[in-house]
Every structure is written in structure tokens, then in C-alpha cells.
Amino acid sequence: MKSGWKIYYSGVLGGIGGLCGWQFSSALDYSLAGSLYMSEVLVGAVIGAAIGLFIGAVEVLAGSRMLRALRSSLITAVLGLIGGAVGLPLAERVFMALGGSIQARILGWGVFGLLLGLAAGITGGTQSWKGALGGLIGGLVGGFLLDLARQQLHDLVLGKAVGLMLLGASAGVFLALVVTLLRKAWLEVESGKMKGSEFILDKFARKDGPSAIIGSSSLKAEIALPDPDIEPQHAILLGEDTHFSIKDISLSGTFVRNKKVEVARLTNGSRIRMGNTDLSYHEKR
């Protein structure tokens, strides 16, 4: 999936997650929690988990294998749950301490967005701080829109529903937008079932850091391509701090610029072919 479409779908699914969070939280009987604080924890957790789950589901639309997409959704749901459980009570406590300042509630949702953004570094190829920054901005903007909707719409129920939808959409859009704008290196699929999909490589750029395996197995490869002519583990992307190299570990071969290679340095625009799939490497300086 192209980065522009990923930003769009992140916003749409984040908004749907916000609406689901509103429905689920409204349906719960919070009197069972025993205290106002625990009620806020439960409400925040439900809302955060719903938004996180739907934002994580963008990986399904992006063409990721179902197992990998499910893992992404679960991780973002868990971190969204934690973010909501921490953010909402924090917002209310600071809100009361500051005498009803709207900035306090916005700060609380910023904490929610920050934790949600960390999932981008865990499930994707970006660095964690970039996901956290995008989530923080999305949470702050979404928190502002949430309170604005509550103030402008006279119907309290409608205001909460619209506000949570805007919160989820904002978190999704800014998370994907910031990660895309700050990316340094990525692969784009040029042919095959996943044509147009992009894989951010920033997390693998350090020379002493983790490497990224390209293959057909979603269990054995960080970049999984549904091509029967690609081996489960076909090639390795090696970070060299300033650039990437690719190392072939297959029997059928890996081609860079139409030449079969064992190890090759990648430059901006390098064309890679393995099996029946063509990829292009991109980097920003």
C-alpha cells in the first residue's frame, strides 16, 4: 500500500475504532468498578484498545500476511489499552488540579497517543521514537478536537461519539503521517500481489543493529512477500549506518540491477528481483 493510502486508511480505521470505543464504553456498567478512578481506567482502556485494534488492522489492507497483521493489531490494541487506562485518569486528575483547564485533558490523550505510537516501532520498520512522536501529536490534536466537539455539540452523547471518532482518526493520521515524513529508507514492491506496498527500513539501519530478512514466510521473514518462487528466507538486508547492503541466502538467486549477486550495496533507486517479484530501494539523505 502506498504511504498516502496508508495515512488515509489509518485515519478512517482510527475513526471507526473511536466510535466502537464509544459504543463499548457506553455499554459497560462502570458501577462494578467500585470507584471513579477505576471507572476512568476501564473507560480509557476500552477506548484505547478499540482505537489501537483498528489502527493496527491497517496492515491487513496494506497486504501483510494475516498472521503478521493479527500480531500488529494485537500489539497496538494492548498499547492502546495501556495508553487509554493511563491517559484518561491522568487527564482527569490534572484537569481537576488545574481548575478545569482544557489543556489537562489534551495532555492525557497525548499520553495515550504516545503509547499507541510506540506500536509502530514494534510492529513496523520505523524507529520507535518516530512512531511515538506521531502518536503524541495525534493524541494532542485528537484530544483538542474531542473537547471541542463536547463543547460545540449540545447533545452530550453525540458530542462524545463525534469527539472519540475525531480522536481515533487524528491518532491514526498523524501516526502514519509523521512516520512517513521522517522515514530514511524503504522498499517498494513493483510487481506481484503486493504491488505498491512499502516497507520502512529505518529500524534496521544501524550496523550493529538487527537485520531484515526478505522471504515468503511471515514467520521467518520481517519482509514477507507472497511469491511461490521466493524462498522462506531468501535474502538479508544489512544496515551499514549510512546505507544498506543486500545478501543473497537463496538457491535461486537475488538480482540487483539485473545482475545476480551474493552481496551488493544498495543505492537510491536500486532495482531488486527475487522470484517473480521486483522491488525498488529508496533512501533520503
Side-chain angles (χ1 to χ4, degrees):
M1 181 188 292
K2 286 282 190 180
S3 56
W5 282 109
K6 191 165 187 177
I7 293 169
Y8 169 76
Y9 282 119
S10 293
V12 170
L13 289 180
I16 294 173
L19 284 175
C20 290
W22 163 69
Q23 286 278 20
F24 295 152
S25 63
S26 298
L28 288 176
D29 182 5
Y30 296 112
S31 63
L32 298 177
S35 71
L36 178 61
Y37 173 77
M38 287 306 299
S39 294
E40 292 166 352
V41 170
L42 286 175
V43 172
V46 168
I47 293 170
I51 293 175
L53 182 67
F54 276 85
I55 290 177
V58 171
E59 293 301 318
V60 177
L61 298 177
S64 293
R65 295 289 184 90
M66 187 57 65
L67 187 61
R68 186 178 293 273
L70 179 60
R71 173 177 173 269
S72 172
S73 291
L74 289 177
I75 291 175
T76 50
V78 170
L79 289 182
L81 183 149
I82 296 172
V86 172
L88 182 57
L90 174 65
E92 293 302 322
R93 299 286 86 74
V94 179
F95 178 78
M96 291 186 288
L98 296 181
S101 171
I102 187 175
Q103 290 85 355
R105 281 180 172 157
I106 294 174
L107 175 63
W109 288 116
V111 172
F112 154 73
L114 186 149
L115 291 177
L116 190 67
L118 287 175
I122 296 173
T123 62
T126 190
Q127 293 158 310
S128 295
W129 71 267
K130 294 177 182 177
L133 176 61
L136 174 63
I137 295 173
L140 293 174
V141 173
F144 170 77
L145 294 175
L146 172 59
D147 265 295
L148 184 63
R150 283 174 170 173
Q151 293 175 17
Q152 296 299 317
L153 297 174
H154 300 295
D155 187 323
L156 184 62
V157 175
L158 179 61
K160 182 179 179 182
V162 172
L164 287 175
M165 180 185 68
L166 292 173
L167 172 67
S170 176
V173 165
F174 280 97
L175 200 164
L177 178 63
V178 171
V179 166
T180 298
L181 291 177
L182 296 182
R183 64 185 178 176
K184 294 295 184 182
W186 65 98
L187 283 179
E188 181 177 355
V189 182
E190 301 286 354
S191 64
K193 294 181 179 180
M194 296 183 67
K195 183 178 180 179
S197 296
E198 295 175 347
F199 298 92
I200 297 176
L201 306 175
D202 296 10
K203 186 168 67 175
F204 309 105
R206 295 198 324 272
K207 189 171 184 177
D208 58 347
S211 57
I213 295 176
I214 306 174
S216 59
S217 171
S218 58
L219 295 177
K220 298 179 180 179
E222 282 71 33
I223 299 174
L225 303 170
D227 183 339
D229 292 316
I230 292 179
E231 296 175 26
Q233 293 183 312
H234 198 102
I236 303 176
L237 282 171
L238 304 169
E240 306 284 355
D241 291 332
T242 58
H243 64 278
F244 277 89
S245 295
I246 189 168
K247 179 180 180 181
D248 178 54
I249 55 173
S250 70
L251 296 175
S252 56
T254 297
F255 298 80
V256 178
R257 305 179 197 91
N258 291 322
K259 293 182 179 180
K260 189 175 182 180
V261 300
E262 291 186 4
V263 179
R265 174 173 175 167
L266 299 176
T267 57
N268 188 40
S270 291
R271 304 280 294 194
I272 305 165
R273 177 165 54 86
M274 52 185 70
N276 293 311
T277 301
D278 293 305
L279 306 148
S280 58
Y281 169 78
H282 303 276
E283 63 181 29
K284 289 193 297 189
R285 297 294 183 183

